[in-house]
Amino acid sequence: MSQMLEMLRATIGQPAGPLAPPFSQWLGGTLRAVDASSASVEYQVRREMTNPGGLLHGGVQSGMLDDVMGMLANALGREFFLASVNLSIDYLAAAREGDQVTATATVLRNGSGIVNMSAELRHRDGKLIARASSNLCNTRLPNPFK
């Protein structure tokens, strides 16, 4: 088990703390589950996350999905830090201020050079809001979470 996976498991049920990246702290998610192949984070939609129509902004949805995939990537215990090389998102439904939404990431393929992941953003009732896929590649940067 990687050091990061152990650290993450110790924070289940807690909001993103000072060890989380600043963007993750701003999103304010609470880790609900994590293992070597998936992770789930719950977010409360705040006013500053909405667009002029009062809906959860697509960029914030993208950030939530990317955030949970990045968290899972770091938990894999790889030698080098992984970075996204693409991110494709389908926006399927709306969320509004006050809603609780959950982003869940899954490793589809943990290859030697590329890790392929998918993620979904869902309402508390299970309704699908957005679906994403991403490929992450090894960088030459040492993984601080190994």
Side-chain angles (χ1 to χ4, degrees):
M1 183 180 332
S2 79
Q3 176 185 353
M4 181 60 162
L5 183 54
E6 289 178 30
M7 287 173 37
L8 287 170
R9 283 186 171 165
T11 66
I12 290 175
Q14 300 174 27
L19 296 178
F23 183 67
S24 299
Q25 291 177 39
W26 180 84
L27 286 172
T30 299
L31 182 63
R32 293 298 178 203
V34 64
D35 61 34
S37 62
S38 68
S40 294
V41 178
E42 184 178 77
Y43 302 93
Q44 179 78 31
V45 179
R46 303 184 312 269
R47 183 174 184 273
E48 65 266 28
M49 295 175 163
T50 61
N51 62 24
L55 305 176
L56 179 59
H57 191 286
V60 176
Q61 292 180 45
S62 172
M64 291 172 173
L65 293 163
D66 188 60
D67 190 51
V68 73
M69 286 189 280
M71 178 187 305
L72 181 56
N74 286 323
L76 296 175
R78 298 183 60 125
E79 179 181 359
F80 296 108
F81 183 76
L82 292 168
S84 300
V85 293
N86 67 349
L87 179 64
S88 177
I89 302 173
D90 294 316
Y91 299 101
L92 305 168
R96 292 178 167 71
E97 181 180 351
D99 288 350
Q100 286 190 345
V101 298
T102 300
T104 302
T106 304
V107 175
L108 301 176
R109 182 176 183 277
N110 189 0
S112 60
I114 298 281
V115 175
N116 180 259
M117 292 192 187
S118 66
E120 293 182 342
L121 187 65
R122 292 183 178 271
H123 280 280
R124 179 175 256 172
D125 66 6
K127 183 177 181 181
L128 184 62
I129 299 167
R131 177 180 300 140
S133 62
S134 183
N135 289 298
L136 300 95
C137 72
N138 285 324
T139 65
R140 301 250 183 229
L141 303 172
N143 185 350
F145 306 110
K146 183 177 172 189

